Amino acid sequence: ALNEYLEKAHQQLEQCKQEKEEGKKYLEELQTKLDITTAQVAMFKEDFQAERNSRAEAVVELDDMREKYETKIEEMRKEYTGIKDKFENIEELLLLKQQQFHEHLETIDQQHKD
């Protein structure tokens, strides 16, 4: 009976050792999966940060472009206004010269009649 008891105890001990080894392998597999997942998360974080930085740079670039175009549009408006004013001044001057010319013709015409 003692021999049987020792034999059973020895079998249970061997089974426990085997289960311990299987548990150890399982833990190693889990650790490997955890390491891989941790690396993937780190890469995702880097990619996400790079994407965020890229978008931030794009926003700054678009703002710069908007400011440049707004400045250019303002310059063109000023140039247009200046040209328009000159044209209106020239138009007024032409009307004045035309009026003076007609008055001069009338004066000559009047002198001819006299």
Side-chain angles (χ1 to χ4, degrees), residues 65-113:
M65 288 174 67
R66 180 186 50 77
E67 285 180 26
K68 285 178 187 174
Y69 281 115
E70 285 176 352
T71 302
K72 186 69 174 171
I73 288 169
E74 192 57 37
E75 289 171 358
M76 290 173 81
R77 277 192 185 127
K78 287 178 183 174
E79 186 177 345
Y80 169 80
T81 302
I83 290 171
K84 183 179 160 203
D85 289 349
K86 284 181 185 175
F87 178 76
E88 287 172 357
N89 289 342
I90 289 172
E91 206 172 27
E92 288 174 19
L93 189 61
L94 282 173
L95 287 172
L96 183 65
K97 290 288 183 189
Q98 189 178 19
Q99 185 181 358
Q100 288 174 349
F101 180 71
H102 283 297
E103 288 172 0
H104 183 66
L105 284 178
E106 284 177 16
T107 303
I108 290 175
D109 204 29
Q110 201 60 346
Q111 286 175 353
H112 245 32
K113 286 181 181 176

Side-chain angles (χ1 to χ4, degrees), residues 33-47:
K33 287 179 182 177
L34 179 63
D35 291 345
I36 290 170
T37 303
T38 302
Q40 288 173 335
V41 167
M43 285 172 35
F44 173 76
K45 280 183 176 178
E46 287 176 16
D47 290 349

